[in-house]
């Protein structure tokens, strides 16, 4: 049997006709930049996330970049985030000449540890301008304490919700909990377009206006520039595709949640406790399972073994950001963030896409059990 980590083709086959009709409509209109599909999608995404405003941009990475700019982050400012996330979270901070200030994660959820955030803010109360809590793998960070401490120190909270559209924290959706939220429509995300795309969500009209201006080179009135922004817009074509896909996002998310529950129970029966830890979802959280990440012993050997049996897996992420070559200048060392470094050695993402079949999930778990010497695949 072959089980891919992600099978986008099976999803595409089901919506191909709907998508193609919209693509044709955009091409026939010859209106490719900032038209009614982008503004329509912005309204629909804002409503979906429970935020007042949404602004389409060129990627999730740019969403973070423009949100930071809108929050007034610039050269020399510090921005707190974790070292256990996709590169863009910290890369966007560094691109502005700002300084990523890393704090460790909660080892169970892989999201920012509010106590570590508090400690870092106490030591850097004058220089920190913002915090970027990442909602990793589809589960929201512990936003209650994150918001409370950020309010106390008057810093902006920018949610990196790239992996978590639709995720809930105590009934509130990702992207509507902090000052701004950043979404990615990269094809592997729960709502993916046919290339790159992203969005900034916010409840603040002022911040929404600022991001709108920044995405068109800092200009409100054409050819008059109040500040230096970027060319970072979401295409009409991508927006049209996303509007079709957004109509299916509810059932797709339910499929991911159902598959996660099924994995949990298959793993329980397989008797692998002590060898495989299934995802921990905090009380009050609804995860949208962009990834189903288990924690395992002998991770790299297991991964190779599974590849040999046709099971696709991935490691998000094998090297923490404080250990990346490009961030050497920040002066961090191995051992600075034990929870993040341990996670980087042990996490393994299994196939979890909505169309995944029960028989395939059983095969994945049986293959893992076979690796640890209990049963055959
Ligand atoms: C994907 C992702 C991003 C960046 O999104 P792009 O659209 O690929 O630029 C940022 N942060 C996290 C956590 C991501 O998973």
């Amino acid at each position: 049997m072959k089980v891919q980590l992600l099978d986008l083709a099976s999803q595409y086959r089901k919506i191909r006709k709907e998508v193609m009709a919209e693509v044709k409509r955009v091409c026939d209109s010859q209106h490719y930049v900032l038209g009614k599909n982008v503004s329509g999608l912005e309204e629909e995404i804002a409503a979906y996330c429970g935020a007042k405003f949404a602004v389409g941009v060129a990627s999730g990475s740019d969403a973070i970049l423009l949100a930071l700019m809108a929050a007034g982050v610039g050269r020399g400012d510090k921005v707190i985030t974790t070292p256990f996330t996709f590169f863009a979270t910290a890369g966007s901070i560094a691109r502005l000449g700002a300084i990523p200030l890393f704090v460790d994660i909660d080892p169970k959820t892989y999201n920012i540890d509010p106590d570590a955030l508090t400690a870092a803010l106490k030591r850097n109360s004058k220089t920190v301008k913002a915090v970027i809590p990442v909602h990793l793998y589809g589960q929201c960070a512990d936003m209650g304490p994150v918001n409370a401490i950020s309010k106390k120190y008057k810093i902006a909270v920018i949610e990196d919700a790239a992996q978590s559209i639709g995720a809930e924290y105590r009934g509130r959706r990702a992207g509507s909990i902090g000052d701004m939220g950043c979404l990615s429509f990269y094809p592997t995300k729960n709502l993916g377009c046919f290339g790159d795309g992203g969005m900034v969500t916010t409840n603040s009209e002022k911040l929404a206006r600022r991001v709108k201006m920044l995405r068109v080179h800092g200009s409100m009135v054409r050819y008059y520039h109040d500040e230096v922004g970027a060319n970072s817009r979401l295409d009409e074509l991508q927006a049209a595709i996303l509007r079709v896909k957004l109509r299916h996002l509810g059932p797709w998310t339910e499929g991911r949640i159902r598959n996660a529950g099924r994995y949990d129970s298959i793993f329980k029966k397989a008797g692998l406790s002590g060898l495989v830890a299934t995802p921990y979802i905090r009380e009050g959280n609804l995860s949208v399972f962009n990834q189903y990440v288990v924690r395992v012993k002998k991770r790299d050997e297991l991964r190779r073994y599974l590849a040999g049996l046709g099971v696709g897996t991935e490691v998000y992420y094998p090297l923490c950001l404080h250990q990346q070559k490009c961030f050497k200048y920040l002066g961090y060392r191995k051992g600075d963030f034990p929870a993040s470094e341990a996670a980087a050695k042990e996490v393994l993402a299994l196939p979890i896409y909505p169309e995944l079949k029960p028989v395939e999930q059983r095969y994945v778990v049986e293959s893992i059990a076979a690796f640890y010497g209990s049963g055959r695949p």
Side-chain angles (χ1 to χ4, degrees):
M1 198 185 289
K2 214 173 152 57
V3 189
Q4 287 171 262
L5 178 68
L6 176 64
D7 177 11
L8 286 170
S10 61
Q11 183 184 80
Y12 174 60
R13 274 194 298 275
K14 287 184 197 147
I15 57 166
R16 187 175 178 281
K17 276 212 181 99
E18 265 180 284
V19 167
M20 283 313 172
E22 292 307 317
V23 166
K24 183 173 177 295
R25 216 192 289 265
V26 174
C27 294
D28 288 348
S29 81
Q30 288 293 301
H31 192 152
Y32 294 120
V33 179
L34 297 184
K36 68 176 178 33
N37 281 297
V38 169
S39 56
L41 181 71
E42 286 171 344
E43 278 176 31
E44 289 156 15
I45 291 280
Y48 191 85
C49 295
K52 287 201 185 117
F53 308 95
V55 184
V57 297
S59 69
S61 303
D62 271 12
I64 300 170
L65 188 80
L66 298 187
L68 286 166
M69 289 171 81
V73 170
R75 194 159 293 282
D77 293 332
K78 286 180 183 157
V79 178
I80 297 178
T81 193
T82 78
F84 192 64
T85 172
F86 178 59
F87 179 76
T89 316
S92 302
I93 300 168
R95 271 191 61 193
L96 291 172
I99 303 159
L101 182 63
F102 294 120
V103 302
D104 213 351
I105 55 169
D106 169 343
K108 279 155 98 180
T109 62
Y110 309 108
N111 287 329
I112 195 165
D113 173 355
D115 293 335
L117 170 63
T118 305
L121 274 170
K122 272 187 188 148
R123 284 194 306 269
N124 299 274
S125 59
K126 300 247 151 51
T127 44
V128 174
K129 267 273 173 70
V131 57
I132 309 181
V134 182
H135 305 322
L136 206 66
Y137 304 147
Q139 171 171 221
C140 286
D142 194 1
M143 293 301 289
V146 168
N147 276 345
I149 187 77
S150 302
K151 200 171 171 188
K152 183 174 164 195
Y153 284 91
K154 297 188 173 64
I155 62 167
V157 178
I158 299 170
E159 300 170 67
D160 182 342
Q163 301 183 4
S164 296
I165 186 166
E168 290 177 15
Y169 176 84
R170 297 183 193 161
R172 289 171 73 183
R173 285 202 165 165
S176 72
I177 314 168
D179 295 301
M180 283 176 274
C182 303
L183 299 174
S184 165
F185 303 126
Y186 185 75
T188 64
K189 313 288 168 152
N190 286 17
L191 179 65
C193 61
F194 290 5
D196 280 306
M199 203 164 275
V200 177
T201 53
T202 180
N203 285 317
S204 154
E205 187 173 7
K206 197 171 138 218
L207 289 170
R209 275 230 307 274
R210 213 113 196 248
V211 175
K212 266 193 176 168
M213 185 171 89
L214 288 164
R215 76 175 168 183
V216 287
H217 288 304
S219 146
M220 267 314 196
V221 179
R222 194 184 287 206
Y223 307 128
Y224 293 83
H225 302 267
D226 295 350
E227 57 185 310
V228 179
N231 174 11
S232 181
R233 299 171 298 224
L234 181 66
D235 289 340
E236 275 292 294
L237 269 173
Q238 300 296 355
I241 293 162
L242 285 163
R243 291 181 88 182
V244 172
K245 294 188 75 176
L246 182 59
R247 298 202 284 268
H248 299 271
L249 185 59
W252 287 338
T253 301
E254 282 162 29
R256 286 174 181 274
I257 293 169
R258 180 194 62 229
N259 291 346
R262 191 181 287 127
Y263 265 136
D264 287 348
S265 64
I266 305 174
F267 270 114
K268 212 171 202 171
K269 282 187 209 126
L272 292 166
S273 60
L275 295 164
V276 178
T278 51
Y280 170 84
I281 306 304
R282 210 165 194 293
E283 209 186 309
N285 267 348
L286 176 80
S287 174
V288 293
F289 289 99
N290 179 239
Q291 304 297 340
Y292 185 90
V293 173
V294 294
R295 211 166 163 139
V296 294
K297 300 263 185 311
K298 294 193 278 185
R299 194 260 323 270
D300 295 333
E301 280 170 79
L302 170 63
R303 186 160 188 242
R304 276 192 293 276
Y305 180 83
L306 292 174
L309 292 176
V311 176
T313 61
E314 189 52 87
V315 174
Y316 307 105
Y317 297 89
L319 184 65
C320 293
L321 298 188
H322 68 284
Q323 296 171 286
Q324 298 287 345
K325 188 174 165 188
C326 69
F327 287 142
K328 226 179 166 149
Y329 70 94
L330 294 172
Y332 290 105
R333 272 181 310 218
K334 191 166 176 246
D336 281 348
F337 305 104
S340 296
E341 291 170 35
K345 287 198 190 87
E346 294 178 358
V347 293
L348 189 66
L350 307 179
I352 186 67
Y353 57 90
E355 298 80 8
L356 190 68
K357 298 186 190 77
V359 58
E360 294 170 324
Q361 292 191 269
R362 281 196 295 276
Y363 180 69
V364 171
V365 178
E366 281 162 16
S367 301
I368 293 171
F371 173 77
Y372 292 112
S374 54
R376 274 182 304 160

